[in-house]
Amino acid sequence: MNAPTTESAAPDAVKRARGRPRKTADERDDGNRRQDLLRAAARLFRQQGFAATSTRDIAAAAGMRSGSPFYHFENKEALLAAVMLEGMQRATGRQAGAMHAAATAAGQTLSARECLRVLVRNHLEVLLGAESDFIPVMLYEWRSLSEVQRQAVNELRREYEAVWVPVLQALHDSGELQGDPSLARLMIFGALNWAVQWFEPGRKASLDDLTEAALQLFLKEPA
């Protein structure tokens, strides 16, 4: 049904009232505010757990009013899913950047072994480096997602892991990786991901040390 013609002459104030309300001063910088919420949520979900963290806790940690998270996210579950999606997007972007930087520095095509070294080192950085709360939250709180949310995160996870598939296959073909590459991929990720449980930044072992240990564990020297 067409709207009455008198509505077309309604004052601007009335027109605005029908749409999305004007943003408050606290809400104007949506992008930065959203990132602040995601960082705060990731940190608290990792430290306290999803169930023990309230949206009020997250808002306070982000320096916002208690109701501010609901301007950006429908509920706490949606915020959890956004943290995991953000984590996978960051991990995928960093992985692509690390591979490109390594190839550029080498000035040539990297060997499969060198590629795996870059992938493992980057994965450890994602898990244990600066702002590394996002992926551990995914490891801890996976069951708190709905099936639809899991599918969205899994899409990005598959994109991230797809880069590893040809590398592991090449290593298997050369005899450096024994066993089925698909199973090896699962085992490697399981071993690396478990580092979030025991690694301490103050330890003598660096991420480079962990990388070399992982390569020695899973690969044999080429024939």
Side-chain angles (χ1 to χ4, degrees):
M1 181 183 295
N2 292 333
T5 55
T6 53
E7 286 190 11
S8 62
D12 288 345
V14 175
K15 289 182 181 178
R16 280 197 298 270
R18 290 178 171 231
R20 193 172 186 178
R22 283 175 177 260
K23 299 173 185 176
T24 66
D26 286 341
E27 297 166 339
R28 283 175 187 159
D29 192 354
D30 286 352
N32 290 339
R33 288 284 184 181
R34 189 176 189 278
Q35 287 298 313
D36 288 344
L37 281 170
L38 288 173
R39 281 192 291 269
R43 184 172 67 255
L44 292 178
F45 288 156
R46 182 180 185 180
Q47 292 174 351
Q48 302 176 180
F50 174 71
T53 301
S54 68
T55 53
R56 185 181 295 272
D57 294 333
I58 296 168
M64 300 181 190
R65 296 174 181 174
S66 59
S68 294
F70 298 113
Y71 178 82
H72 300 271
F73 303 98
E74 183 179 359
N75 49 41
K76 192 173 73 164
E77 289 73 17
L79 181 51
L80 175 64
V83 164
M84 295 189 190
L85 288 169
E86 177 74 11
M88 286 310 309
Q89 288 166 351
R90 288 184 179 205
T92 302
R94 290 189 63 160
Q95 178 171 264
M99 292 292 284
H100 177 74
T104 300
Q108 58 186 9
T109 302
L110 298 176
S111 69
R113 194 181 193 94
E114 290 166 336
C115 283
L116 186 62
R117 178 178 284 104
V118 174
L119 291 173
V120 169
R121 177 62 173 78
N122 180 73
H123 192 69
L124 290 170
E125 184 70 34
V126 166
L127 290 171
L128 307 170
E131 290 198 2
S132 59
D133 296 317
F134 290 86
I135 297 301
V137 169
M138 189 172 76
L139 302 178
Y140 298 149
E141 301 292 350
W142 182 249
R143 293 183 180 180
S144 299
L145 294 182
S146 69
E147 185 57 36
V148 172
Q149 290 169 333
R150 289 182 191 178
Q151 290 175 4
V153 177
N154 268 331
E155 237 179 89
L156 292 176
R157 181 185 58 80
R158 284 191 289 269
E159 178 184 344
Y160 179 81
E161 293 186 10
V163 178
W164 296 61
V165 173
V167 174
L168 294 175
Q169 184 61 55
L171 288 165
H172 177 264
D173 294 344
S174 70
E176 296 169 79
L177 176 69
Q178 296 183 331
D180 179 76
S182 297
L183 292 177
R185 175 173 52 83
L186 296 174
M187 295 292 289
I188 290 171
F189 275 112
L192 297 179
N193 291 344
W194 190 249
V196 302
Q197 297 283 351
W198 55 262
F199 181 76
E200 297 175 8
R203 286 186 153 196
K204 291 183 179 179
S206 67
L207 298 189
D208 289 332
D209 294 331
L210 297 185
T211 299
E212 292 307 316
L215 293 177
Q216 291 169 14
L217 179 63
F218 288 104
L219 300 182
K220 59 181 290 188
E221 291 298 324

